[in-house]
Structure formats: structure tokens, C-alpha cells
């Protein structure tokens, strides 16, 4: 019975958190950050079991279960015709904008890039660019649209920056290649399907194929959406 309970707890953690680092962050307290003054060190302390936070799953166990569960989750989502935003009471402009774009991003007509600047669960200011279509395929968005969770950039997204620790990360997705540190424009994203560039520099001239929309949000410090419309090549 105890073994079954442990398996259930791990399954719940895998379903709730997108990455292992996000899982570790959920166990970090403001007090930990105050004394350690380093988010990465706080994660290591939790991972090593040096805090009284109960049992902590090992990275290998978490990622193995995550990988094993992925095909099943994707299969179930492909069978669901109802969008994650359907029937939800969306009071925030940003969530309404995401809902309006959900179908197009799921179908491949649009590869939206989301910019979010806000505070993490640990209270640290973070920002980054998210491939919306990619995250929709890899993650259940129902908790975001229902207000149970907040959508935040992760180090596994197109780009990520922690303003307190200066942690910088970038990862290409199934839809975009990251072109970092461009000499004149900074970070750029090249769409892998049509090979067109999305310039997210707010000072850049508006692009008809990838228009930028800045939104006022009651739940995020700053958000913007770049709608990259995929041209039909047939």
C-alpha cells in the first residue's frame, strides 16, 4: 500500500509540474532564499534532502516518469475536441487573448510567441519568451484558463531570465530556432516551418506576418503576444 501511495504521489508531481526544477521550486520557501541568496543553491539543498520538506523525488525518477507518461497524455489530448479554454470564465485580458488563439495554435495555423514578465513562486522577478503552440502540445492548459495555475516562463522555454540571480537560458522548440545575441537586434526567433524571422525587439518596426500585441493584465506585470501566421506553401 505504501508503495502504491508513493507511486501516486510521484504521478501527481509529474502531472502538476512541467519540469523537475519547477517541482523543486515548489518546495523552496522565502526563508530559504533569504538565507541562501541563490535559487540554484536552494534547489540543490532541496534535491539533496537537506531540508525537512518530506520525501523529495530524485531527478531521474521524475524525468523517467515524465517521459513515460508523455505519449499517453498526448494521445488523450489528441482525442479531445474541446479546447482547454472552452467554458472557462476568463476575466483577464491576457487569458482571453490566449483563448482566442488556442485553436489556431493547436492546428498549426499560428505559432504565437508569448512574452511574460512576472514573479516566480519564490518571489523573484523572471521574464521570458514562450512558444505557445509547443507548450499547448506538451502541457495541460486547463489549470491556466481556470485560474488554478499561472503561466510562467521556464528555463526550457525559448528564453528565460531571472532578474535577481541573472540566470539566463534559451532552448529551441519544435517550432522555433533561437538566434541569440544578434549584433543589432538582440534575440531573434526563426520559425522552422516557413523559415521566417520573428523580431521581438519592441523598438523594431511592426511586421505584418508577426504582429505584436501588448496587453494590460491584472495578474501579470507585463505581457505581450507575437502572432506568427504560417503561410500555406501548397
Amino acid at each position: 500500500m505504501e508503495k502504491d501511495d508513493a507511486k501516486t504521489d510521484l504521478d501527481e508531481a509529474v502531472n502538476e509540474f512541467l519540469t523537475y526544477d519547477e517541482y523543486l521550486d515548489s518546495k523552496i520557501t522565502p526563508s530559504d532564499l533569504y538565507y541562501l541568496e541563490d535559487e540554484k543553491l536552494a534547489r540543490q539543498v532541496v534535491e539533496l534532502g537537506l531540508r525537512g520538506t518530506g520525501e523529495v523525488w530524485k531527478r531521474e525518477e521524475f524525468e523517467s516518469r515524465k517521459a513515460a507518461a508523455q505519449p499517453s497524455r498526448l494521445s488523450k489530448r489528441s482525442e479531445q475536441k474541446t479546447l482547454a479554454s472552452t467554458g472557462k470564465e476568463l476575466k483577464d485580458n491576457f487569458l482571453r487573448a490566449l483563448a482566442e488563439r488556442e485553436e489556431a495554435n493547436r492546428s498549426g495555423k499560428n505559432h504565437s510567441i508569448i512574452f511574460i514578465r512576472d514573479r516566480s513562486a519564490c518571489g523573484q522577478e523572471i521574464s521570458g519568451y514562450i512558444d505557445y503552440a509547443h507548450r499547448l502540445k506538451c502541457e495541460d492548459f486547463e489549470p491556466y484558463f481556470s485560474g488554478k495555475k499561472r503561466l510562467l516562463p521556464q528555463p526550457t522555454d525559448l528564453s528565460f531570465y531571472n532578474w535577481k540571480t541573472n540566470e539566463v537560458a534559451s532552448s529551441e522548440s519544435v517550432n522555433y530556432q533561437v538566434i541569440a545575441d544578434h549584433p543589432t537586434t538582440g534575440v531573434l526567433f526563426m520559425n522552422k516551418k516557413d523559415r521566417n524571422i520573428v523580431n521581438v525587439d519592441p523598438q523594431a518596426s511592426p511586421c505584418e506576418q508577426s504582429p505584436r500585441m501588448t496587453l494590460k493584465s491584472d495578474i501579470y506585470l507585463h505581457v505581450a503576444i507575437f502572432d506568427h501566421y504560417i503561410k500555406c506553401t501548397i
Side-chain angles (χ1 to χ4, degrees), residues 50-198:
L50 301 179
R51 291 186 57 254
T53 57
E55 185 176 5
V56 177
W57 296 105
K58 299 299 182 183
R59 185 179 295 272
E60 294 78 11
E61 294 174 314
F62 181 95
E63 294 182 346
S64 175
R65 185 63 59 87
K66 191 81 171 178
Q70 187 74 352
S72 176
R73 288 199 302 272
L74 294 178
S75 176
K76 289 180 180 178
R77 289 195 194 109
S78 66
E79 296 172 358
Q80 294 176 347
K81 296 182 180 180
T82 303
L83 299 177
S85 57
T86 299
K88 303 298 186 299
E89 185 179 0
L90 306 172
K91 298 181 179 180
D92 187 74
N93 290 332
F94 177 57
L95 293 180
R96 284 195 291 269
L98 292 186
E100 291 170 358
R101 292 159 173 78
E102 184 183 0
E103 189 280 329
N105 275 272
R106 287 189 184 277
S107 65
K109 300 173 186 175
N110 187 355
H111 289 167
S112 298
I113 294 177
I114 303 167
F115 172 77
I116 295 178
R117 179 171 64 87
D118 206 79
R119 298 191 181 280
S120 68
C122 304
Q124 296 181 343
E125 186 171 340
I126 58 175
S127 62
Y129 292 91
I130 299 170
D131 179 348
Y132 184 32
H134 177 64
R135 285 279 287 263
L136 279 170
K137 291 181 179 179
C138 298
E139 194 175 358
D140 181 7
F141 263 64
E142 192 278 334
Y144 297 128
F145 286 121
S146 63
K148 297 176 183 177
K149 290 178 65 177
R150 296 170 66 250
L151 179 64
L152 291 173
Q154 302 289 338
T156 50
D157 283 312
L158 294 176
S159 76
F160 173 86
Y161 181 62
N162 185 308
W163 293 77
K164 179 176 177 59
T165 64
N166 291 322
E167 177 186 359
V168 179
S170 64
S171 300
E172 70 174 57
S173 68
V174 295
N175 300 313
Y176 285 102
Q177 177 183 338
V178 181
I179 304 174
D181 300 323
H182 189 277
T184 57
T185 61
V187 66
L188 299 171
F189 303 110
M190 183 179 72
N191 188 273
K192 294 180 178 180
K193 187 170 183 179
D194 61 16
R195 312 296 292 179
N196 285 320
I197 298 294
V198 180

Side-chain angles (χ1 to χ4, degrees), residues 2-3 9 20 31-32 50 100 121 172 174 186-187 199:
E2 292 181 358
K3 185 176 181 181
D9 289 343
Y20 185 70
S31 178
D32 295 332
L50 301 179
E100 291 170 358
E172 70 174 57
V174 295
V187 66
N199 186 348

